[in-house]
């Protein structure tokens, strides 16, 4: 017996192994520092496997894209894919989206937020776990530049139904036609849900 606690490979893989895998919180985030330039900043919350992020960054080299992902396993997949894509304008950050937006972003610093297929938490008792609620929508609005946008898509009718009246309560945001801006590249879930024939509801909000 050496007194050392032995950890199996699978147990180790459940914990951050490198500094970048630690959750980012309570530390200011500056796109200028991360990317080494001043460019419009777009942030995706709940990036999953980063399909959207990589396509959007590849198509818009003059903008910087940051994906926020809480799950370590998805963070690792996204991180590998982004490195392989060799994009100078895309990064993934492991963080809880609410804590990151509220605690780490400067007011008026973001050109666009993308929230695609957030976990629906369909059971009534789980609803409080949903990412988008009235308070967080106000926080998101405060971090947008004037004229900046919040884009949301969901396949979940209950989530969409509850979101619509909530969005109208956020004074700094106005809803505009989804088709008034170019269609964003599809996410992994969008492709999956379209193939299943599910209806997708989309919201486009602009900071006044
Ligand atoms: C249903 S998946 C959608 C992934 C991707 N947006 C897509 O459309 O393919 C939801 C993702 O959000 C992540 N997520 C859920 N809550 C989060 C939070 N509070 N902060 C950051 N990521 C979160 C999950 O880990 C998961 O990767």
């Amino acid at each position: 017996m050496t007194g050392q606690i032995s950890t199996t490979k699978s147990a180790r893989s459940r914990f951050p192994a490198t500094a970048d895998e630690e959750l980012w919180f309570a530390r200011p985030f500056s796109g200028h520092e991360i990317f080494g330039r001043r460019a419009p900043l777009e942030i995706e919350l709940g990036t999953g496997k980063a399909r959207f992020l990589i396509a959007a960054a590849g198509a818009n080299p003059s903008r910087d894209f940051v994906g926020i992902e809480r799950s370590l396993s998805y963070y690792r997949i996204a991180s590998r894919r982004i490195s392989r894509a060799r994009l100078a304008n895309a990064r993934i950050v492991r963080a809880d989206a609410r804590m990151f937006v509220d605690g780490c972003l400067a007011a008026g610093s973001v050109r666009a937020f993308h929230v695609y297929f957030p976990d629906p938490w369909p059971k009534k008792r789980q609803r409080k776990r949903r990412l988008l609620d009235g308070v967080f929508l106000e926080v998101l609005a405060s971090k947008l530049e004037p004229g900046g946008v919040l884009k949301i898509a969901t396949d979940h009718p209950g989530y969409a139904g509850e979101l619509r009246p909530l969005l109208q309560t956020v004074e700094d945001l106005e809803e505009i036609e989804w088709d008034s801006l170019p269609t964003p590249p599809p996410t992994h879930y969008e492709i999956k849900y379209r193939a299943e024939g599910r209806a997708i509801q989309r919201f486009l909000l602009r900071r006044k």
Side-chain angles (χ1 to χ4, degrees):
M1 264 304 259
T2 63
Q4 250 180 342
I5 298 167
S6 74
T7 43
T8 62
K9 188 165 178 271
S10 72
R12 278 199 305 275
S13 69
R14 284 191 283 120
F15 298 101
T18 52
D20 69 290
E21 291 184 351
E22 301 281 349
L23 283 167
W24 183 307
F25 64 97
R27 187 159 48 108
F29 177 91
S30 156
H32 307 154
E33 275 173 29
I34 296 282
F35 294 103
R37 66 173 184 172
R38 289 190 179 272
L41 182 63
E42 303 210 12
I43 299 188
E44 184 190 20
L45 306 177
T47 296
K49 297 182 181 175
R51 174 182 265 275
F52 160 80
L53 200 79
I54 291 168
N60 297 281
S62 62
R63 297 175 178 216
D64 291 332
F65 289 81
V66 175
I68 304 299
E69 177 53 55
R70 182 174 64 182
S71 141
L72 186 53
S73 50
Y74 276 123
Y75 171 84
R76 285 177 173 155
I77 294 170
S79 180
R80 260 198 313 273
R81 289 185 165 182
I82 292 167
S83 307
R84 256 191 254 131
R86 295 182 181 279
L87 291 161
N89 63 332
R91 293 291 159 87
I92 176 97
V93 169
R94 183 164 176 252
D96 176 88
R98 292 176 75 108
M99 292 176 79
F100 182 82
V101 173
D102 191 16
C104 309
L105 295 177
S109 64
V110 178
R111 174 67 56 91
F113 283 111
H114 303 267
V115 186
Y116 300 134
F117 306 92
D119 292 330
W121 297 111
K123 293 185 183 150
K124 197 169 177 185
R125 64 185 158 78
Q126 298 174 329
R127 273 184 213 157
K128 57 182 177 302
R129 298 190 202 167
R130 284 180 180 167
L131 181 64
L132 298 171
D133 61 19
V135 172
F136 191 50
L137 288 168
E138 281 190 28
V139 174
L140 285 167
S142 74
K143 306 294 177 172
L144 283 172
E145 303 169 358
V149 294
L150 165 60
K151 296 183 182 186
I152 302 167
T154 178
D155 66 302
H156 193 271
Y159 206 159
E162 284 176 27
L163 208 49
R164 191 168 292 285
L166 266 187
L167 291 168
Q168 285 159 8
T169 67
V170 186
E171 269 195 15
D172 287 341
L173 294 178
E174 59 182 352
E175 188 163 5
I176 56 175
E177 288 290 316
W178 180 264
D179 293 337
S180 60
L181 288 181
T183 305
T187 69
H188 177 78
Y189 271 79
E190 174 160 3
I191 291 170
K192 177 173 138 80
Y193 289 157
R194 268 207 239 149
E196 290 171 11
R198 294 197 201 186
I200 295 172
Q201 302 206 45
R202 300 168 203 279
F203 302 88
L204 173 56
L205 291 309
R206 184 168 54 198
R207 167 104 196 248
K208 292 178 190 164

